[in-house]
Amino acid sequence: MDFINNFTKETKPEDVSERIHQNRVNQKREIIKTAFNMFAKKGYYKTTLEDIASEMGITRAALYRYFSSKNELLFNCYKVVFDYWLEKLEQPKSIQDPQTRLTKMLEAHILLFLEDFPFSIPTLSSDDSSPPEYKDQIIKFKKAIVEPYLLCLREWRIKNPDQLKSIDDKIIINTLFSSANSVPLWWDSKSDPKLVVKQVVSILMDGIQKNH
């Protein structure tokens, strides 16, 4: 999970030395990495802060220096995923053709969970485990993820007015996301992930284009 290093950056307080600040950031990264693994193995509700601290070889009191609660820790896991996801969605934005852009976005979407976050889907896809106090922020994250897809569909309809007339955007988005998010649950971890992704996305795009 080396990518976490790029998405847990924090501004250094003026009264803290660079060395101490970097040590704190590194420890926070390790806690988030451990939390990802523990939530995947035991589930969010069955994992305690004591479990995470024990796995890391630190005390619960030491963990509390970085996160005040398990909910705050889970929210930081969400934030790492969504920040990284949004960056991945930036890459295809220069593609002019909306169908091609949508294809590349879907491929990046699925690969993100197969290669970078293989154990995160069970926790992150469950609305039940969303920390209540962070619910509004998580909703904003999700809207930011959906918006580039909606833009692709709007441009697709403008470019090809005879297509997609009989399908609602919400149905398309929900179908794409539910299909994409299910891939890590059945992927055997042995097949070439890029080949699997291309085949899945090909099926999804063919389905959209046939429903004019």
Side-chain angles (χ1 to χ4, degrees), residues 98-121:
Q99 289 98 320
T100 303
R101 193 189 327 142
L102 183 59
T103 297
K104 294 301 181 184
M105 286 167 52
L106 278 172
E107 290 177 353
H109 178 147
I110 303 174
L111 274 175
L112 179 138
F113 288 107
L114 292 187
E115 296 184 330
D116 297 318
F117 298 93
F119 306 115
S120 64
I121 278 290

Side-chain angles (χ1 to χ4, degrees), residues 184-201:
L185 303 179
W186 55 257
W187 180 49
D188 60 10
S189 301
K190 299 176 182 178
S191 307
D192 181 354
K194 291 182 173 59
L195 178 60
V196 170
V197 166
K198 284 191 175 298
Q199 292 177 346
V200 170
V201 173

